[in-house]
Amino acid sequence: MSCAGLYEAALEHSHHEVAAVPAALAETTKMVCPNSGMSPAGCHSKLIVGGLALVGIGAAIGYFACKKASCCSSRVNKKIRLGEGKVADTVDVEDIGEKKAFCRCWKSEKWPYCDGTHGKHNKETGDNLGPLIVKKKE
């Protein structure tokens, strides 16, 4: 076979392969939504909208689950004068004596003074909370 003949055969062979690519692509678009009667573009749009809806639903479930879990633990004071807008106390310096420990965990039965309840809180939560200690200068 001459060089020209080889060239012609190669050209015809590559032409058949190139022509087969659009046919293969058309076949794959038919496979996405078989028997739906929809055009490939409409079918792809439907799949994209469905996928976005699933992502949106998943995000909403995650958001509300996180919000529910954090709403219960975000409040620090769960028992001391909850009806007041702000809990503020004044202690006279004369009443402190040599030294007083003030509660910072909001769980003391002797509020505003510390009764050591933070120790239990620290064991349960892994926290490192302690009292505010006020004392006279030495």
Side-chain angles (χ1 to χ4, degrees):
M1 185 179 266
S2 69
C3 287
L6 285 173
Y7 176 75
E8 291 291 325
L11 187 60
E12 186 167 321
H13 180 70
S14 66
H15 177 70
H16 288 299
E17 285 183 5
V18 171
V21 170
L25 287 175
E27 221 24 64
T28 59
T29 58
K30 288 180 190 173
M31 291 173 31
V32 175
C33 292
N35 303 323
S36 69
M38 297 180 75
S39 70
C43 183
H44 288 131
S45 298
K46 188 175 179 180
L47 288 173
I48 290 170
V49 169
L52 289 174
L54 286 175
V55 169
I57 290 169
I61 289 171
Y63 171 78
F64 287 115
C66 182
K67 188 170 175 89
K68 176 70 175 164
S70 66
C71 77
C72 299
S73 62
S74 64
R75 184 177 189 114
V76 177
N77 177 13
K78 296 182 182 178
K79 70 177 191 174
I80 311 234
R81 302 193 317 243
L82 297 176
E84 297 180 21
K86 183 191 299 187
V87 178
D89 290 300
T90 303
V91 178
D92 289 329
V93 175
E94 294 81 24
D95 294 341
I96 292 176
E98 291 297 314
K99 178 168 93 172
K100 284 286 184 205
F102 291 90
C103 177
R104 294 192 307 160
C105 73
W106 293 90
K107 297 179 185 221
S108 175
E109 295 297 325
K110 298 179 179 179
W111 180 264
Y113 302 108
C114 176
D115 67 357
T117 306
H118 61 271
K120 181 180 175 188
H121 165 80
N122 289 346
K123 284 182 185 176
E124 290 173 353
T125 64
D127 206 347
N128 64 347
L129 194 59
L132 167 67
I133 300 173
V134 178
K135 64 181 184 174
K136 288 185 178 182
K137 284 187 179 181
E138 297 176 1

